[in-house]
Amino acid sequence: GDSVTQKEGLVTLTEGLPVMLNCTYQTIYSNAFLFWYVHYLNESPRLLLKSSTDNKRTEHQGFHATLHKSSSSFHLQKSSAQLSDSALYYCALSEVISNYNVLYFGSGTKLTVEP
Amino acid sequence: NSKVIQTPRYLVKGQGQKAKMRCIPEKGHPVVFWYQQNKNNEFKFLINFQNQEVLQQIDMTEKRFSAECPSNSPCSLEIQSSEAGDSALYLCASSPGGEQYFGPGTRLTVL
């Protein structure tokens, strides 16, 4: 079945350093969509990025990710971490983009950015 | 920003009690999902609806949960007989077809 792996459960960085959160996935569907959601404490999880296009960089709010189907990866990156980036980050997969595509989430990475 | 409304934000129940939570999807979104996020922050899909019809649900939901999305009323998810292992954050998401927009969740504690 479909699955998403986020190896790092906790990442702690100093402000200003680059961010890279890993995401790999397994699916039999060649047109699967990959997503990054960010979840701040006591708020709703919010969509950060999405992609289904191989080798195309997608960007939003300073974050970027590139879907690499050859390695089944969709790593989240940012050039310079900010204190406000501290949150839980989830990578998720949907088999096809349709009205009822269930999201399969990774276990999440808690990012803490320190001064 | 998401306009999905979930009530109550916090719910405390004893084992064996019913636990009911509600979700108002964003206007114009015909599809509603319920997910359970456990204490390890892991998400589990529970059930989804398109308009008032159930599209998919897992076994646990079929056996122990009651869910509906009536027209012109909030969607609801009810655990018929709460167990300690049901303590979690229950997230509702609505979709216009594609992306999902989440509410803030109902945090259920079963004592």
Side-chain angles (χ1 to χ4, degrees), chain B residues 45-75:
Chain B
F45 164 75
L46 296 176
I47 189 169
N48 57 352
F49 292 84
Q50 181 164 7
N51 298 316
Q52 291 81 53
E53 301 295 321
V54 174
L55 293 171
Q56 300 159 285
Q57 61 181 323
I58 63 172
D59 278 352
M60 178 181 83
T61 310
E62 199 167 346
K63 290 173 185 171
R64 298 182 49 241
F65 290 58
S66 171
E68 60 177 2
C69 261
S71 61
N72 301 318
S73 293
C75 297

Side-chain angles (χ1 to χ4, degrees), chain A residues 37 50 90 99-101 103, chain B residues 31 35 37 41 99-100:
Chain A
Y37 279 83
K50 66 175 183 180
Y90 290 94
N99 281 358
Y100 42 87
N101 50 295
L103 286 173
Chain B
V31 187
Y35 293 90
Q37 187 186 30
N41 295 319
E99 297 167 15
Q100 293 180 31

